[in-house]
Amino acid sequence: MLHDEKGQCYGAIQTINNISLKKITEGSLIRVNRALSTLSEVNQAVVQAGNEEKLLNDIVQAIVRNDKYRMAWIAYIDNTVEGDLKIMAHAGFENDETNIRVVCGNKIYGCNSIGEALVEGKYHITKNILARRGCDKCWGDAAARDYTSTIALPLIYDDQKFGVINIYAREEDAYGHDEVALLLELAGDLSYGINALRTRQERDQSVIALQDAHDYLEHKVKERTKELMQANEKLKELDRLKSMFIASMSHELRTPLNSIIGFSGIMLKEMSGPITAKQKEHLQRIFGSGKHLMELISDVIDISKIEGDRIDVYPQMFNMDELIADVKDLYALQAQKKQLQLEFDVASGIYLFTDRKRLQQVVSNLVSNAIKYTENGHVKVSVREYYGMVEVVVNDSGIGISEENMLYLFKAFERMETHLKIREGGAGLGLYLTEKLVSEILLGEIEVESEPGVGSTFRVRVTQDLREESVH
Ligand code: ADP
């Protein structure tokens, strides 16, 4: 069916234009009119069609409406039985529809015009069945049902014959040239309409199938996400229990260790009586190892607390000068023993409101490492304010860190393969804990630059005032 831009049908009008009106007699004018009005109704049905079954029924009804034609039916080629047709819709048979003769005789698709039309793929007219005595059954039907002529129009789409529409007229020799032209257009429009509907249905079904698949996937994703979340919660709980276990075990270890450190300290100071040089040397080892073990246990406790989300933060106001002075006291002797220059460059009057103990722990760890991994030269600590943060830089002229080792620097239990690894004790937890304290407690960041054989620079920036951070 052809439409202009406004969606109006003009195929039929064109057909009329092709008709030479002069040649039309009064009788044939009536026939052309009925074909025209049928075509118009058919086109309307095609445009409005919602489903195929209704479309076919609307069309056969339109054909017989107002007694334009006597009867009509539409059949599809039955692909399951060769040469057979399957009736899809009919009109005008009153109560006699069970005896609609679609296929008759031995010929493929029947002996009458239907068979011819389907085999040749062209319309076929029987002008007067009653005059054609070839088939008694067809003759009998025509006499009983009051029709004389028929036209069978094949339904073709994309060069494929898929059905036929058969129209019966009372009068003999009913189908003139102009009427046939209109009926051919009718069959073409019907074929187009059926296929358009099927395409639309297929598309709708695809959309529904896609939607179903999408819903199913969404459901699956939700299910999996829920399972993952549950597994994650379980893991978190296990991790928390592990951290709690480590914390309580480490705590248990601390009590006897405190006694070891305390009493060996007392004995070293000869408060419990004089000791020999040999005993002093041994006690010093006990005291030193005890302290080292205590630091290690403290690190483990801190890590497990942070990982178990159970670490408390105690922010307070303090002056950075004082904190650096404490660090200096702690490490001056150590640096001196290694003949290292321990230098400080601290901008004065820097106040912070943060967890002092944790910040001191961070600076101490970095200074301790710098002294451990520097054999000669200097360790320099600089402090300055940096856009709402305080920056502490610990620079050394030590062994440095290779680019490859940089990747493992802040990972737990990672110690680099260097000639100092054995001599300088350590568990590889210091920088792991330092990074966690900086990022999670002091709300800052840590970065490092290093060149093997030249030295390293650890740069820590922490939030100057934790109260302001919590406002943001
Ligand atoms: P530990 O010092 O107990 O081994 P850390 O986590 O503090 O553990 O450090 C991890 C590793 O990083 C050290 O074993 C060392 O190889 C390297 N490292 C840390 N600080 C320095 C530094 N200032 N210079 C060179 N190497 C360093």
Side-chain angles (χ1 to χ4, degrees), residues 365-366 369-374 396 398-401 408-409 411 414-418 421 424-432 434 450 455-456 458:
N365 268 344
L366 296 179
N369 273 352
I371 295 172
K372 265 161 71 175
Y373 300 107
T374 302
D396 65 55
I399 59 168
I401 302 151
Y408 307 98
L409 206 58
K411 295 214 158 83
E414 289 290 351
R415 303 197 71 216
M416 311 309 146
E417 288 305 331
T418 65
K421 185 179 174 185
E424 300 295 342
L429 287 176
L431 285 181
Y432 178 68
T434 301
S450 188
S456 311
F458 284 79

PDB file of all heavy atoms in Angstrom, residues 365-366 369-374 396 398-401 408-409 411 414-418 421 424-432 434 450 455-456 458, ligand 1:
ATOM      1  N   ASN A 365      59.656   6.069  63.234  1.00  0.00           N
ATOM      2  CA  ASN A 365      59.885   4.934  62.320  1.00  0.00           C
ATOM      3  C   ASN A 365      60.773   5.346  61.158  1.00  0.00           C
ATOM      4  O   ASN A 365      61.698   4.613  60.778  1.00  0.00           O
ATOM      5  CB  ASN A 365      58.556   4.436  61.747  1.00  0.00           C
ATOM      6  CG  ASN A 365      57.974   3.324  62.594  1.00  0.00           C
ATOM      7  OD1 ASN A 365      58.682   2.734  63.411  1.00  0.00           O
ATOM      8  ND2 ASN A 365      56.689   3.051  62.408  1.00  0.00           N
ATOM      9  N   LEU A 366      60.479   6.517  60.584  1.00  0.00           N
ATOM     10  CA  LEU A 366      61.241   6.971  59.416  1.00  0.00           C
ATOM     11  C   LEU A 366      62.685   7.310  59.805  1.00  0.00           C
ATOM     12  O   LEU A 366      63.629   6.963  59.078  1.00  0.00           O
ATOM     13  CB  LEU A 366      60.557   8.186  58.766  1.00  0.00           C
ATOM     14  CG  LEU A 366      59.165   7.917  58.194  1.00  0.00           C
ATOM     15  CD1 LEU A 366      58.568   9.186  57.586  1.00  0.00           C
ATOM     16  CD2 LEU A 366      59.210   6.818  57.127  1.00  0.00           C
ATOM     17  N   ASN A 369      64.563   4.044  60.531  1.00  0.00           N
ATOM     18  CA  ASN A 369      64.940   3.386  59.270  1.00  0.00           C
ATOM     19  C   ASN A 369      66.112   4.106  58.614  1.00  0.00           C
ATOM     20  O   ASN A 369      67.053   3.468  58.126  1.00  0.00           O
ATOM     21  CB  ASN A 369      63.768   3.388  58.292  1.00  0.00           C
ATOM     22  CG  ASN A 369      62.867   2.191  58.506  1.00  0.00           C
ATOM     23  OD1 ASN A 369      63.198   1.299  59.281  1.00  0.00           O
ATOM     24  ND2 ASN A 369      61.713   2.188  57.853  1.00  0.00           N
ATOM     25  N   ALA A 370      66.004   5.447  58.580  1.00  0.00           N
ATOM     26  CA  ALA A 370      67.066   6.231  57.927  1.00  0.00           C
ATOM     27  C   ALA A 370      68.408   5.933  58.586  1.00  0.00           C
ATOM     28  O   ALA A 370      69.424   5.751  57.892  1.00  0.00           O
ATOM     29  CB  ALA A 370      66.722   7.719  58.001  1.00  0.00           C
ATOM     30  N   ILE A 371      68.429   5.860  59.920  1.00  0.00           N
ATOM     31  CA  ILE A 371      69.696   5.567  60.617  1.00  0.00           C
ATOM     32  C   ILE A 371      70.140   4.126  60.320  1.00  0.00           C
ATOM     33  O   ILE A 371      71.313   3.858  60.034  1.00  0.00           O
ATOM     34  CB  ILE A 371      69.543   5.806  62.135  1.00  0.00           C
ATOM     35  CG1 ILE A 371      69.292   7.307  62.406  1.00  0.00           C
ATOM     36  CG2 ILE A 371      70.771   5.325  62.902  1.00  0.00           C
ATOM     37  CD1 ILE A 371      68.947   7.658  63.840  1.00  0.00           C
ATOM     38  N   LYS A 372      69.132   3.198  60.326  1.00  0.00           N
ATOM     39  CA  LYS A 372      69.461   1.788  60.079  1.00  0.00           C
ATOM     40  C   LYS A 372      70.093   1.580  58.699  1.00  0.00           C
ATOM     41  O   LYS A 372      71.055   0.827  58.539  1.00  0.00           O
ATOM     42  CB  LYS A 372      68.177   0.937  60.155  1.00  0.00           C
ATOM     43  CG  LYS A 372      67.953   0.326  61.534  1.00  0.00           C
ATOM     44  CD  LYS A 372      66.509  -0.107  61.743  1.00  0.00           C
ATOM     45  CE  LYS A 372      66.085  -1.309  60.963  1.00  0.00           C
ATOM     46  NZ  LYS A 372      64.699  -1.734  61.325  1.00  0.00           N
ATOM     47  N   TYR A 373      69.521   2.254  57.707  1.00  0.00           N
ATOM     48  CA  TYR A 373      69.954   1.979  56.335  1.00  0.00           C
ATOM     49  C   TYR A 373      70.909   3.046  55.766  1.00  0.00           C
ATOM     50  O   TYR A 373      71.006   3.209  54.562  1.00  0.00           O
ATOM     51  CB  TYR A 373      68.724   1.781  55.437  1.00  0.00           C
ATOM     52  CG  TYR A 373      67.888   0.624  55.933  1.00  0.00           C
ATOM     53  CD1 TYR A 373      66.669   0.832  56.571  1.00  0.00           C
ATOM     54  CD2 TYR A 373      68.364  -0.695  55.834  1.00  0.00           C
ATOM     55  CE1 TYR A 373      65.920  -0.222  57.070  1.00  0.00           C
ATOM     56  CE2 TYR A 373      67.624  -1.759  56.342  1.00  0.00           C
ATOM     57  CZ  TYR A 373      66.404  -1.517  56.957  1.00  0.00           C
ATOM     58  OH  TYR A 373      65.693  -2.575  57.454  1.00  0.00           O
ATOM     59  N   THR A 374      71.596   3.754  56.684  1.00  0.00           N
ATOM     60  CA  THR A 374      72.626   4.711  56.240  1.00  0.00           C
ATOM     61  C   THR A 374      73.938   4.339  56.931  1.00  0.00           C
ATOM     62  O   THR A 374      73.971   4.189  58.155  1.00  0.00           O
ATOM     63  CB  THR A 374      72.221   6.161  56.598  1.00  0.00           C
ATOM     64  OG1 THR A 374      70.955   6.436  55.989  1.00  0.00           O
ATOM     65  CG2 THR A 374      73.251   7.174  56.103  1.00  0.00           C
ATOM     66  N   ASP A 396      67.983  10.860  53.868  1.00  0.00           N
ATOM     67  CA  ASP A 396      69.250  10.250  54.322  1.00  0.00           C
ATOM     68  C   ASP A 396      70.189  10.041  53.149  1.00  0.00           C
ATOM     69  O   ASP A 396      69.769  10.092  51.984  1.00  0.00           O
ATOM     70  CB  ASP A 396      68.971   8.935  55.059  1.00  0.00           C
ATOM     71  CG  ASP A 396      68.367   7.876  54.161  1.00  0.00           C
ATOM     72  OD1 ASP A 396      68.965   7.556  53.115  1.00  0.00           O
ATOM     73  OD2 ASP A 396      67.261   7.356  54.478  1.00  0.00           O
ATOM     74  N   GLY A 398      71.747   7.231  52.639  1.00  0.00           N
ATOM     75  CA  GLY A 398      71.948   5.792  52.857  1.00  0.00           C
ATOM     76  C   GLY A 398      72.036   4.958  51.588  1.00  0.00           C
ATOM     77  O   GLY A 398      72.308   5.470  50.504  1.00  0.00           O
ATOM     78  N   ILE A 399      71.712   3.674  51.754  1.00  0.00           N
ATOM     79  CA  ILE A 399      71.904   2.715  50.647  1.00  0.00           C
ATOM     80  C   ILE A 399      70.885   2.893  49.524  1.00  0.00           C
ATOM     81  O   ILE A 399      71.064   2.394  48.423  1.00  0.00           O
ATOM     82  CB  ILE A 399      71.866   1.253  51.161  1.00  0.00           C
ATOM     83  CG1 ILE A 399      70.521   0.969  51.856  1.00  0.00           C
ATOM     84  CG2 ILE A 399      73.020   0.962  52.102  1.00  0.00           C
ATOM     85  CD1 ILE A 399      70.296  -0.503  52.132  1.00  0.00           C
ATOM     86  N   GLY A 400      69.795   3.583  49.851  1.00  0.00           N
ATOM     87  CA  GLY A 400      68.771   3.823  48.826  1.00  0.00           C
ATOM     88  C   GLY A 400      67.930   2.573  48.544  1.00  0.00           C
ATOM     89  O   GLY A 400      68.178   1.496  49.102  1.00  0.00           O
ATOM     90  N   ILE A 401      66.946   2.770  47.690  1.00  0.00           N
ATOM     91  CA  ILE A 401      66.003   1.674  47.377  1.00  0.00           C
ATOM     92  C   ILE A 401      65.874   1.587  45.852  1.00  0.00           C
ATOM     93  O   ILE A 401      65.647   2.610  45.191  1.00  0.00           O
ATOM     94  CB  ILE A 401      64.611   1.965  47.994  1.00  0.00           C
ATOM     95  CG1 ILE A 401      64.752   2.138  49.519  1.00  0.00           C
ATOM     96  CG2 ILE A 401      63.605   0.872  47.683  1.00  0.00           C
ATOM     97  CD1 ILE A 401      63.736   3.043  50.126  1.00  0.00           C
ATOM     98  N   TYR A 408      57.394  -2.912  46.776  1.00  0.00           N
ATOM     99  CA  TYR A 408      57.100  -3.732  47.960  1.00  0.00           C
ATOM    100  C   TYR A 408      57.306  -2.987  49.269  1.00  0.00           C
ATOM    101  O   TYR A 408      57.093  -3.536  50.344  1.00  0.00           O
ATOM    102  CB  TYR A 408      57.993  -4.985  47.958  1.00  0.00           C
ATOM    103  CG  TYR A 408      57.900  -5.744  46.675  1.00  0.00           C
ATOM    104  CD1 TYR A 408      58.854  -5.595  45.671  1.00  0.00           C
ATOM    105  CD2 TYR A 408      56.819  -6.595  46.444  1.00  0.00           C
ATOM    106  CE1 TYR A 408      58.745  -6.277  44.472  1.00  0.00           C
ATOM    107  CE2 TYR A 408      56.701  -7.277  45.247  1.00  0.00           C
ATOM    108  CZ  TYR A 408      57.683  -7.118  44.260  1.00  0.00           C
ATOM    109  OH  TYR A 408      57.544  -7.790  43.088  1.00  0.00           O
ATOM    110  N   LEU A 409      57.741  -1.734  49.149  1.00  0.00           N
ATOM    111  CA  LEU A 409      58.189  -0.983  50.327  1.00  0.00           C
ATOM    112  C   LEU A 409      57.154  -0.916  51.443  1.00  0.00           C
ATOM    113  O   LEU A 409      57.473  -1.089  52.621  1.00  0.00           O
ATOM    114  CB  LEU A 409      58.545   0.441  49.865  1.00  0.00           C
ATOM    115  CG  LEU A 409      59.561   1.180  50.694  1.00  0.00           C
ATOM    116  CD1 LEU A 409      60.864   0.429  50.770  1.00  0.00           C
ATOM    117  CD2 LEU A 409      59.804   2.570  50.082  1.00  0.00           C
ATOM    118  N   LYS A 411      54.528  -2.850  51.886  1.00  0.00           N
ATOM    119  CA  LYS A 411      53.778  -4.095  52.095  1.00  0.00           C
ATOM    120  C   LYS A 411      54.267  -4.764  53.375  1.00  0.00           C
ATOM    121  O   LYS A 411      55.440  -4.619  53.755  1.00  0.00           O
ATOM    122  CB  LYS A 411      53.984  -5.044  50.913  1.00  0.00           C
ATOM    123  CG  LYS A 411      53.409  -4.484  49.630  1.00  0.00           C
ATOM    124  CD  LYS A 411      52.857  -5.591  48.765  1.00  0.00           C
ATOM    125  CE  LYS A 411      51.845  -5.083  47.792  1.00  0.00           C
ATOM    126  NZ  LYS A 411      52.392  -4.531  46.587  1.00  0.00           N
ATOM    127  N   GLU A 414      57.712  -7.255  54.197  1.00  0.00           N
ATOM    128  CA  GLU A 414      58.648  -7.168  53.062  1.00  0.00           C
ATOM    129  C   GLU A 414      59.933  -6.474  53.518  1.00  0.00           C
ATOM    130  O   GLU A 414      59.897  -5.341  53.987  1.00  0.00           O
ATOM    131  CB  GLU A 414      58.018  -6.363  51.907  1.00  0.00           C
ATOM    132  CG  GLU A 414      56.889  -7.070  51.189  1.00  0.00           C
ATOM    133  CD  GLU A 414      57.359  -8.247  50.349  1.00  0.00           C
ATOM    134  OE1 GLU A 414      58.577  -8.420  50.184  1.00  0.00           O
ATOM    135  OE2 GLU A 414      56.489  -8.999  49.872  1.00  0.00           O
ATOM    136  N   ARG A 415      61.029  -7.159  53.349  1.00  0.00           N
ATOM    137  CA  ARG A 415      62.332  -6.564  53.638  1.00  0.00           C
ATOM    138  C   ARG A 415      63.174  -6.711  52.374  1.00  0.00           C
ATOM    139  O   ARG A 415      63.152  -7.742  51.714  1.00  0.00           O
ATOM    140  CB  ARG A 415      63.018  -7.274  54.811  1.00  0.00           C
ATOM    141  CG  ARG A 415      62.171  -7.259  56.077  1.00  0.00           C
ATOM    142  CD  ARG A 415      63.013  -7.568  57.290  1.00  0.00           C
ATOM    143  NE  ARG A 415      63.911  -6.474  57.620  1.00  0.00           N
ATOM    144  CZ  ARG A 415      65.146  -6.632  58.097  1.00  0.00           C
ATOM    145  NH1 ARG A 415      65.626  -7.844  58.294  1.00  0.00           N
ATOM    146  NH2 ARG A 415      65.908  -5.588  58.365  1.00  0.00           N
ATOM    147  N   MET A 416      63.916  -5.663  52.030  1.00  0.00           N
ATOM    148  CA  MET A 416      64.655  -5.708  50.770  1.00  0.00           C
ATOM    149  C   MET A 416      65.949  -6.500  50.930  1.00  0.00           C
ATOM    150  O   MET A 416      66.559  -6.525  51.998  1.00  0.00           O
ATOM    151  CB  MET A 416      65.004  -4.279  50.303  1.00  0.00           C
ATOM    152  CG  MET A 416      63.830  -3.334  50.326  1.00  0.00           C
ATOM    153  SD  MET A 416      62.416  -4.011  49.468  1.00  0.00           S
ATOM    154  CE  MET A 416      61.075  -3.356  50.427  1.00  0.00           C
ATOM    155  N   GLU A 417      66.307  -7.148  49.809  1.00  0.00           N
ATOM    156  CA  GLU A 417      67.568  -7.909  49.816  1.00  0.00           C
ATOM    157  C   GLU A 417      68.735  -6.932  49.678  1.00  0.00           C
ATOM    158  O   GLU A 417      69.084  -6.523  48.587  1.00  0.00           O
ATOM    159  CB  GLU A 417      67.573  -8.907  48.651  1.00  0.00           C
ATOM    160  CG  GLU A 417      66.651 -10.089  48.803  1.00  0.00           C
ATOM    161  CD  GLU A 417      66.883 -10.891  50.080  1.00  0.00           C
ATOM    162  OE1 GLU A 417      68.037 -10.918  50.570  1.00  0.00           O
ATOM    163  OE2 GLU A 417      65.913 -11.470  50.601  1.00  0.00           O
ATOM    164  N   THR A 418      69.304  -6.558  50.796  1.00  0.00           N
ATOM    165  CA  THR A 418      70.484  -5.673  50.750  1.00  0.00           C
ATOM    166  C   THR A 418      71.533  -6.251  51.692  1.00  0.00           C
ATOM    167  O   THR A 418      71.220  -7.155  52.495  1.00  0.00           O
ATOM    168  CB  THR A 418      70.145  -4.240  51.212  1.00  0.00           C
ATOM    169  OG1 THR A 418      69.788  -4.290  52.595  1.00  0.00           O
ATOM    170  CG2 THR A 418      69.015  -3.628  50.407  1.00  0.00           C
ATOM    171  N   LYS A 421      70.491  -6.293  55.387  1.00  0.00           N
ATOM    172  CA  LYS A 421      69.280  -7.005  55.825  1.00  0.00           C
ATOM    173  C   LYS A 421      69.528  -7.810  57.108  1.00  0.00           C
ATOM    174  O   LYS A 421      68.730  -7.773  58.047  1.00  0.00           O
ATOM    175  CB  LYS A 421      68.795  -7.929  54.711  1.00  0.00           C
ATOM    176  CG  LYS A 421      67.482  -8.611  55.060  1.00  0.00           C
ATOM    177  CD  LYS A 421      67.006  -9.486  53.946  1.00  0.00           C
ATOM    178  CE  LYS A 421      65.768 -10.256  54.376  1.00  0.00           C
ATOM    179  NZ  LYS A 421      65.332 -11.205  53.380  1.00  0.00           N
ATOM    180  N   GLU A 424      70.906  -5.376  60.264  1.00  0.00           N
ATOM    181  CA  GLU A 424      69.861  -4.549  60.872  1.00  0.00           C
ATOM    182  C   GLU A 424      68.611  -5.398  61.060  1.00  0.00           C
ATOM    183  O   GLU A 424      68.013  -5.852  60.098  1.00  0.00           O
ATOM    184  CB  GLU A 424      69.532  -3.342  59.971  1.00  0.00           C
ATOM    185  CG  GLU A 424      70.699  -2.410  59.704  1.00  0.00           C
ATOM    186  CD  GLU A 424      71.188  -1.701  60.971  1.00  0.00           C
ATOM    187  OE1 GLU A 424      70.451  -1.643  61.973  1.00  0.00           O
ATOM    188  OE2 GLU A 424      72.339  -1.208  60.953  1.00  0.00           O
ATOM    189  N   GLY A 425      68.253  -5.587  62.281  1.00  0.00           N
ATOM    190  CA  GLY A 425      67.077  -6.423  62.554  1.00  0.00           C
ATOM    191  C   GLY A 425      65.805  -5.744  62.064  1.00  0.00           C
ATOM    192  O   GLY A 425      65.774  -4.543  61.812  1.00  0.00           O
ATOM    193  N   GLY A 426      64.760  -6.516  61.957  1.00  0.00           N
ATOM    194  CA  GLY A 426      63.483  -5.929  61.522  1.00  0.00           C
ATOM    195  C   GLY A 426      62.553  -7.023  61.035  1.00  0.00           C
ATOM    196  O   GLY A 426      63.007  -8.120  60.691  1.00  0.00           O
ATOM    197  N   ALA A 427      61.268  -6.722  61.057  1.00  0.00           N
ATOM    198  CA  ALA A 427      60.284  -7.717  60.623  1.00  0.00           C
ATOM    199  C   ALA A 427      59.582  -7.293  59.342  1.00  0.00           C
ATOM    200  O   ALA A 427      58.736  -8.008  58.823  1.00  0.00           O
ATOM    201  CB  ALA A 427      59.254  -7.922  61.725  1.00  0.00           C
ATOM    202  N   GLY A 428      59.916  -6.101  58.860  1.00  0.00           N
ATOM    203  CA  GLY A 428      59.260  -5.608  57.639  1.00  0.00           C
ATOM    204  C   GLY A 428      57.845  -5.105  57.910  1.00  0.00           C
ATOM    205  O   GLY A 428      57.004  -5.106  57.021  1.00  0.00           O
ATOM    206  N   LEU A 429      57.599  -4.665  59.147  1.00  0.00           N
ATOM    207  CA  LEU A 429      56.255  -4.159  59.466  1.00  0.00           C
ATOM    208  C   LEU A 429      56.232  -2.634  59.628  1.00  0.00           C
ATOM    209  O   LEU A 429      55.181  -2.014  59.587  1.00  0.00           O
ATOM    210  CB  LEU A 429      55.738  -4.795  60.770  1.00  0.00           C
ATOM    211  CG  LEU A 429      55.316  -6.251  60.674  1.00  0.00           C
ATOM    212  CD1 LEU A 429      54.931  -6.775  62.046  1.00  0.00           C
ATOM    213  CD2 LEU A 429      54.151  -6.417  59.702  1.00  0.00           C
ATOM    214  N   GLY A 430      57.438  -2.043  59.831  1.00  0.00           N
ATOM    215  CA  GLY A 430      57.524  -0.613  60.152  1.00  0.00           C
ATOM    216  C   GLY A 430      56.837   0.285  59.131  1.00  0.00           C
ATOM    217  O   GLY A 430      55.968   1.091  59.485  1.00  0.00           O
ATOM    218  N   LEU A 431      57.205   0.148  57.853  1.00  0.00           N
ATOM    219  CA  LEU A 431      56.627   1.044  56.842  1.00  0.00           C
ATOM    220  C   LEU A 431      55.160   0.709  56.559  1.00  0.00           C
ATOM    221  O   LEU A 431      54.373   1.595  56.244  1.00  0.00           O
ATOM    222  CB  LEU A 431      57.444   0.972  55.538  1.00  0.00           C
ATOM    223  CG  LEU A 431      58.791   1.694  55.590  1.00  0.00           C
ATOM    224  CD1 LEU A 431      59.509   1.583  54.249  1.00  0.00           C
ATOM    225  CD2 LEU A 431      58.621   3.173  55.948  1.00  0.00           C
ATOM    226  N   TYR A 432      54.819  -0.560  56.702  1.00  0.00           N
ATOM    227  CA  TYR A 432      53.415  -0.971  56.515  1.00  0.00           C
ATOM    228  C   TYR A 432      52.541  -0.252  57.548  1.00  0.00           C
ATOM    229  O   TYR A 432      51.519   0.359  57.216  1.00  0.00           O
ATOM    230  CB  TYR A 432      53.317  -2.487  56.676  1.00  0.00           C
ATOM    231  CG  TYR A 432      51.930  -3.043  56.569  1.00  0.00           C
ATOM    232  CD1 TYR A 432      51.244  -3.015  55.360  1.00  0.00           C
ATOM    233  CD2 TYR A 432      51.296  -3.612  57.681  1.00  0.00           C
ATOM    234  CE1 TYR A 432      49.967  -3.545  55.256  1.00  0.00           C
ATOM    235  CE2 TYR A 432      50.016  -4.136  57.582  1.00  0.00           C
ATOM    236  CZ  TYR A 432      49.354  -4.098  56.367  1.00  0.00           C
ATOM    237  OH  TYR A 432      48.091  -4.614  56.262  1.00  0.00           O
ATOM    238  N   THR A 434      53.465   2.415  59.314  1.00  0.00           N
ATOM    239  CA  THR A 434      53.601   3.863  59.116  1.00  0.00           C
ATOM    240  C   THR A 434      52.581   4.358  58.085  1.00  0.00           C
ATOM    241  O   THR A 434      51.884   5.345  58.316  1.00  0.00           O
ATOM    242  CB  THR A 434      55.034   4.191  58.635  1.00  0.00           C
ATOM    243  OG1 THR A 434      55.936   3.730  59.635  1.00  0.00           O
ATOM    244  CG2 THR A 434      55.231   5.679  58.432  1.00  0.00           C
ATOM    245  N   SER A 450      63.980   7.815  45.920  1.00  0.00           N
ATOM    246  CA  SER A 450      65.232   7.198  46.356  1.00  0.00           C
ATOM    247  C   SER A 450      66.128   6.865  45.166  1.00  0.00           C
ATOM    248  O   SER A 450      65.637   6.632  44.049  1.00  0.00           O
ATOM    249  CB  SER A 450      64.923   5.921  47.135  1.00  0.00           C
ATOM    250  OG  SER A 450      66.111   5.437  47.701  1.00  0.00           O
ATOM    251  N   GLY A 455      70.782   7.747  48.394  1.00  0.00           N
ATOM    252  CA  GLY A 455      69.976   8.029  49.585  1.00  0.00           C
ATOM    253  C   GLY A 455      68.486   8.020  49.291  1.00  0.00           C
ATOM    254  O   GLY A 455      68.056   7.792  48.155  1.00  0.00           O
ATOM    255  N   SER A 456      67.728   8.243  50.365  1.00  0.00           N
ATOM    256  CA  SER A 456      66.263   8.206  50.239  1.00  0.00           C
ATOM    257  C   SER A 456      65.638   9.425  50.908  1.00  0.00           C
ATOM    258  O   SER A 456      66.197   9.969  51.859  1.00  0.00           O
ATOM    259  CB  SER A 456      65.690   6.957  50.919  1.00  0.00           C
ATOM    260  OG  SER A 456      66.397   5.814  50.514  1.00  0.00           O
ATOM    261  N   PHE A 458      61.855  10.316  52.461  1.00  0.00           N
ATOM    262  CA  PHE A 458      60.460   9.974  52.774  1.00  0.00           C
ATOM    263  C   PHE A 458      59.739  11.272  53.115  1.00  0.00           C
ATOM    264  O   PHE A 458      60.212  12.037  53.950  1.00  0.00           O
ATOM    265  CB  PHE A 458      60.378   8.996  53.958  1.00  0.00           C
ATOM    266  CG  PHE A 458      60.757   7.592  53.572  1.00  0.00           C
ATOM    267  CD1 PHE A 458      62.090   7.221  53.449  1.00  0.00           C
ATOM    268  CD2 PHE A 458      59.778   6.641  53.319  1.00  0.00           C
ATOM    269  CE1 PHE A 458      62.446   5.928  53.078  1.00  0.00           C
ATOM    270  CE2 PHE A 458      60.129   5.349  52.953  1.00  0.00           C
ATOM    271  CZ  PHE A 458      61.458   4.993  52.827  1.00  0.00           C
TER     272      PHE A 458
HETATM  273  P1  ADP B   1      62.196  -3.142  58.641  1.00  0.00           P
HETATM  274  O1  ADP B   1      63.011  -1.901  58.726  1.00  0.00           O
HETATM  275  O2  ADP B   1      61.754  -3.659  59.933  1.00  0.00           O
HETATM  276  O3  ADP B   1      62.813  -4.178  57.770  1.00  0.00           O
HETATM  277  P2  ADP B   1      60.283  -1.497  57.288  1.00  0.00           P
HETATM  278  O4  ADP B   1      58.894  -1.813  56.903  1.00  0.00           O
HETATM  279  O5  ADP B   1      60.499  -0.332  58.165  1.00  0.00           O
HETATM  280  O6  ADP B   1      60.849  -2.813  57.906  1.00  0.00           O
HETATM  281  O7  ADP B   1      61.102  -1.317  55.988  1.00  0.00           O
HETATM  282  C1  ADP B   1      60.981  -2.251  54.956  1.00  0.00           C
HETATM  283  C2  ADP B   1      62.231  -2.298  54.119  1.00  0.00           C
HETATM  284  O8  ADP B   1      62.390  -1.080  53.423  1.00  0.00           O
HETATM  285  C3  ADP B   1      63.487  -2.429  54.909  1.00  0.00           C
HETATM  286  O9  ADP B   1      63.777  -3.784  55.196  1.00  0.00           O
HETATM  287  C4  ADP B   1      64.506  -1.798  54.017  1.00  0.00           C
HETATM  288  O10 ADP B   1      65.021  -2.735  53.114  1.00  0.00           O
HETATM  289  C5  ADP B   1      63.745  -0.742  53.257  1.00  0.00           C
HETATM  290  N1  ADP B   1      63.927   0.609  53.817  1.00  0.00           N
HETATM  291  C6  ADP B   1      63.155   1.282  54.677  1.00  0.00           C
HETATM  292  N2  ADP B   1      63.615   2.513  54.921  1.00  0.00           N
HETATM  293  C7  ADP B   1      64.743   2.638  54.201  1.00  0.00           C
HETATM  294  C8  ADP B   1      65.674   3.688  53.987  1.00  0.00           C
HETATM  295  N3  ADP B   1      65.550   4.869  54.600  1.00  0.00           N
HETATM  296  N4  ADP B   1      66.703   3.457  53.167  1.00  0.00           N
HETATM  297  C9  ADP B   1      66.838   2.292  52.515  1.00  0.00           C
HETATM  298  N5  ADP B   1      65.976   1.252  52.640  1.00  0.00           N
HETATM  299  C10 ADP B   1      64.945   1.427  53.480  1.00  0.00           C
END
